[in-house]
Amino acid sequence: MSMSPETVSDILVRQNILTQEQALEVHKEARLLPNRVRNPRAFEQRALAYELIERCNFPSVENPGKPLREFEIAKAIARESKLDFVRIDPLDLDADLIESKMSRPFARRHRMIPLALSNGKLQVACADPNDIEGIDSFRRIAERELDLVVASEPDILRAITEFYGLRHSVMRAEKDLSSGIDLGNLEALVKLKDAKEIESSDQHIVNAVEFMLQHAYDSRASDIHVEPKREFSLIRFRIDGVLHDIQTMPMLVHRAVVSRVKTMARLDIAEKRRPQDGRVKTSRAGEEVELRVSTLPVGFGEKLVVRIFDPTVLMQDLSEIGFYPDELDLFNDFITQPHGIVLLTGPTGSGKTTTLYSALKTIAGRELNITTIEDPIEMVYEDFNQVAVNSKAGITFAKALRHVLRQDPDIIMVGEIRDAETAEYAVQAALTGHLVFSTLHTNDASSAINRLVDLGVKPFLISSTLVGAVAQRLVRRVCPHCAQDTHLSEREAGILRLSVPPGKRVKVKVGEGCFECRGTGFLGRTAVFEVLAVDDTVKPLVLSGADSARIKRDAVNAGMRTLRQSALRKLAEGLTSFEEILRVTAL
């Protein structure tokens, strides 16, 4: 059962984690909780003691300068009971073991879950080692000797939700499908308004998709891949730019899951021979989350990719994206100009859209008419007037831009300048007093100028309309939970062309790999930038037709920091690694 806030706080006092005064504060807060929050049914859904104690923000003993968190609380409970402490990785749960030994209601009520079977003993993680009734009951049910370990209550609840959520729904769906129940056509599912009319067998597929999406949100995933193989289907999440295996499921369930997602995105579930694209709007914690759905026929069936556009990720404060103060000042100068063109460059997945949306949000106001032209609209935002490119309807970037100019815009965002016509209209918009934001696929900032020339824009028009170009990349952050000091080898320093005095070594950080970062050594991403201002140094070069290498060299001499130099600075600050710098930047 869930431990009360009073019981947990008293344990923390005995373990010298809290003072007596802090424990009394917890007791006082607990007494103020409404009865509806403290009733047994509410306890089944929440780890109330952990929530209340963490909300008090008591200082951590284990990590000075940081607040007390759940795993430190759980470690104290484990020490009190003279048991080992564990952290549960949902990906390591033994589905067959849990399914055969413990029901979901029992797991939730007694806050325990089986982890492994070894040497005839069943290892069980529990939140309350003093729940003698639950432990004895499970010992009789399992008919085995138990090896008790302690895990944090929120950790156990997350594991229960993970197993009895996505995995359990997939298993139940497989049983239903194998027994001959036809889930091939789920089109009626979206048409039915009354949940009671939906067959319970269909609901397992619905639940599997719901849990998959929720798990992706909780994992900070940017993409969900559902890939058919010869004998099974593989679910993978892209987290911090890298794909991670999450779950396998039978091919029978794969087809039903793909059909369910296609139904949600209003795609044709009967069409399996050609690619399809759609979108779904969902909500999470009161915030709308846009999902872009893409299907593609591959060797063993339909591959499904769902891209997640979380507004908390897509729109951030510009100061939190990764700009250094001098770069941010220069970029803010770009986006507050009355007219001109601001370009962002970089490959797909380099964070250009996040920077663009964040910039537009920064300058948006009731007095401005901001219009965007996108392919497709990444995220619907009410402060912008958003136009979607539709080639079938004849709406291209160029045609949309031509019509937008008649809509009295102040600021225009063009998703990408792909052709000469779009480039021409963007320049005309800038010349007629509009501020235009757009993107180009070039490797660095200076190459954007040559790319515009290639698209037919005259150099004198570029010099008079282009305010600045920003190249960017995303590098993974070294996980702060397992970061360790290390030094670059002579070879690594040589590859980075660093001048290191004899006998000196360059100190950096590397992630050892831990539970928080799933053993990768990285947690989250930050951007590195190359900010090129088209100023008195650059304009003469543009007019004379100088190549990108000459423009870049003179801009660096005038103080511009290249992508590699920005990345090296983050390496020196311990934010990223040597391997990440090589992966995303060029010399």
Side-chain angles (χ1 to χ4, degrees):
M1 290 181 287
S2 184
M3 300 179 75
S4 70
E6 294 89 345
T7 301
V8 175
S9 61
D10 289 345
I11 290 174
L12 294 178
V13 170
R14 290 195 293 272
Q15 293 293 320
N16 298 315
I17 303 295
L18 294 184
T19 65
Q20 193 65 51
E21 291 74 19
Q22 290 169 331
L24 290 174
E25 184 179 338
V26 174
H27 288 211
K28 181 180 177 182
E29 290 290 330
R31 286 195 296 270
L32 295 175
L33 291 172
N35 287 333
R36 60 181 175 80
V37 175
R38 301 200 60 164
N39 69 40
R41 293 184 66 84
F43 267 121
E44 285 192 15
Q45 305 299 323
R46 300 167 60 182
L48 198 59
Y50 284 78
E51 287 181 22
L52 194 153
I53 292 171
E54 287 189 90
R55 199 163 63 228
C56 290
N57 276 319
F58 296 129
S60 167
V61 174
E62 191 174 301
N63 299 297
K66 295 183 179 180
L68 179 66
R69 287 293 178 252
E70 66 175 82
F71 297 113
E72 197 171 348
I73 298 172
K75 286 178 183 177
I77 295 172
R79 286 194 300 270
E80 179 83 2
S81 305
K82 295 181 173 55
L83 295 174
D84 289 334
F85 165 77
V86 297
R87 295 190 68 174
I88 302 172
D89 185 349
L91 301 183
D92 289 337
L93 293 177
D94 187 329
D96 294 332
L97 179 67
I98 299 172
E99 175 80 3
S100 63
K101 297 298 182 184
M102 187 175 288
S103 68
R104 180 175 185 165
F106 187 94
R108 272 203 174 277
R109 175 174 175 75
H110 293 286
R111 300 297 202 261
M112 59 177 64
I113 190 166
L115 298 181
L117 184 60
S118 178
N119 298 324
K121 282 191 174 183
L122 184 62
Q123 186 183 55
V124 179
C126 65
D128 182 5
N130 295 318
D131 180 12
I132 304 302
E133 176 193 348
I135 294 169
D136 285 344
S137 296
F138 185 59
R139 186 180 285 111
R140 288 194 298 273
I141 295 169
E143 297 179 338
R144 287 184 181 276
E145 191 62 33
L146 302 186
D147 176 19
L148 285 181
V149 292
V150 175
S152 80
E153 191 172 340
D155 207 15
I156 289 177
L157 288 176
R158 283 191 292 266
I160 291 171
T161 300
E162 164 66 12
F163 171 73
Y164 292 101
L166 174 59
R167 297 183 181 209
H168 196 63
S169 295
V170 167
M171 290 164 62
R172 293 294 298 275
E174 182 187 11
K175 289 180 181 178
D176 289 343
L177 289 165
S178 300
S179 64
I181 298 173
D182 182 18
L183 285 181
N185 183 3
L186 292 179
E187 189 173 17
L189 191 63
V190 77
K191 295 178 181 178
L192 296 175
K193 301 299 180 184
D194 185 356
K196 293 179 181 178
E197 295 177 31
I198 304 174
E199 288 186 343
S200 61
S201 56
D202 290 351
Q203 197 62 43
H204 295 313
I205 294 297
V206 176
N207 288 344
V209 172
E210 292 286 334
F211 281 116
M212 180 176 71
L213 293 177
Q214 191 60 51
H215 188 22
Y217 297 157
D218 293 340
S219 301
R220 303 176 295 104
S222 61
D223 300 85
I224 303 169
H225 291 238
V226 184
E227 305 173 355
K229 307 298 181 184
R230 185 182 299 276
E231 297 178 351
F232 61 90
S233 174
L234 176 64
I235 299 175
R236 300 200 289 171
F237 291 170
R238 187 175 297 280
I239 303 171
D240 296 335
V242 178
L243 283 170
H244 297 262
D245 292 355
I246 298 298
Q247 168 77 20
T248 60
M249 58 185 178
M251 285 300 297
L252 203 60
V253 179
H254 168 87
R255 290 189 286 271
V257 166
V258 172
S259 291
R260 169 60 184 164
V261 176
K262 288 169 71 174
T263 302
M264 292 168 65
R266 300 180 182 179
L267 302 179
D268 184 356
I269 64 171
E271 179 56 74
K272 304 181 190 304
R273 296 170 297 175
R274 63 180 177 86
Q276 296 187 69
D277 296 297
R279 62 192 311 125
V280 182
K281 181 180 289 186
T282 64
S283 62
R284 181 195 182 213
E287 292 279 350
E288 289 185 350
V289 178
E290 295 270 348
L291 307 176
R292 192 193 301 165
V293 177
S294 173
T295 65
L296 179 71
V298 294
F300 298 108
E302 279 188 288
K303 180 177 185 290
L304 173 74
V305 174
V306 180
R307 172 153 285 189
I308 301 170
F309 292 99
D310 188 334
T312 60
V313 174
L314 200 57
M315 287 192 182
Q316 302 180 40
D317 191 292
L318 284 174
S319 62
E320 298 175 353
I321 291 177
F323 283 108
Y324 284 111
D326 57 332
E327 295 172 338
L328 182 58
D329 289 342
L330 192 53
F331 186 66
N332 277 326
D333 184 53
F334 292 173
I335 66 177
T336 53
Q337 293 293 317
H339 54 79
I341 300 174
V342 178
L343 293 176
L344 269 80
T345 76
T348 301
S350 60
K352 300 188 300 296
T353 300
T354 296
T355 304
L356 275 177
Y357 267 86
S358 300
L360 291 175
K361 184 182 178 183
T362 299
I363 59 180
R366 303 301 299 173
E367 71 280 3
L368 293 176
N369 174 13
I370 298 177
T371 304
T372 72
I373 305 167
E374 305 172 64
D375 181 23
I377 294 172
E378 305 284 15
M379 190 189 76
V380 177
Y381 190 64
E382 290 186 359
D383 287 0
F384 309 154
N385 299 295
Q386 295 170 282
V387 179
V389 168
N390 187 336
S391 301
K392 292 181 181 177
I395 303 174
T396 61
F397 277 116
K399 288 183 179 179
L401 181 53
R402 186 176 64 196
H403 289 291
V404 162
L405 288 172
R406 301 171 189 160
Q407 290 282 314
D408 186 32
D410 296 295
I411 298 169
I412 305 168
M413 191 271 274
V414 183
E416 184 184 348
I417 295 178
R418 297 177 179 172
D419 51 49
E421 191 180 7
T422 307
E424 179 187 349
Y425 282 123
V427 169
Q428 291 301 318
L431 289 172
T432 52
H434 303 90
L435 184 61
V436 180
F437 293 86
S438 192
T439 69
L440 285 172
H441 287 290
T442 61
N443 290 328
D444 55 20
S446 58
S447 297
I449 295 170
N450 292 106
R451 177 63 178 148
L452 289 177
V453 173
D454 292 341
L455 289 171
V457 182
K458 303 295 184 184
F460 77 90
L461 289 176
I462 297 174
S463 67
S464 59
T465 57
L466 186 61
V467 174
V470 180
Q472 78 173 83
R473 301 288 190 277
L474 291 177
V475 294
R476 289 184 289 172
R477 286 176 175 268
V478 172
C479 175
H481 302 282
C482 61
Q484 300 290 329
D485 290 336
T486 186
H487 296 86
L488 292 181
S489 67
E490 288 186 15
R491 185 187 69 84
E492 292 170 337
I495 290 174
L496 296 177
R497 297 184 181 178
L498 297 177
S499 298
V500 183
K504 298 289 185 180
R505 301 178 69 188
V506 180
K507 184 179 177 181
V508 295
K509 287 190 180 294
V510 64
E512 294 290 324
C514 67
F515 184 90
E516 296 288 346
C517 62
R518 294 181 179 271
T520 63
F522 298 99
L523 186 64
R525 290 189 288 179
T526 186
V528 292
F529 295 95
E530 180 177 291
V531 185
L532 173 69
V534 182
D535 53 16
D536 294 339
T537 300
V538 175
K539 283 183 179 181
L541 297 173
V542 176
L543 288 170
S544 66
D547 62 16
S548 60
R550 170 73 188 281
I551 294 172
K552 184 173 185 175
R553 185 170 63 250
D554 284 19
V556 169
N557 291 337
M560 185 186 80
R561 190 182 298 114
T562 67
L563 282 169
R564 172 58 65 88
Q565 289 168 342
S566 292
L568 286 173
R569 185 170 171 179
K570 291 189 185 291
L571 174 68
E573 293 171 354
L575 293 176
T576 192
S577 71
F578 167 78
E579 291 77 16
E580 280 296 285
I581 289 180
L582 290 186
R583 186 175 68 87
V584 302
T585 67
L587 289 172

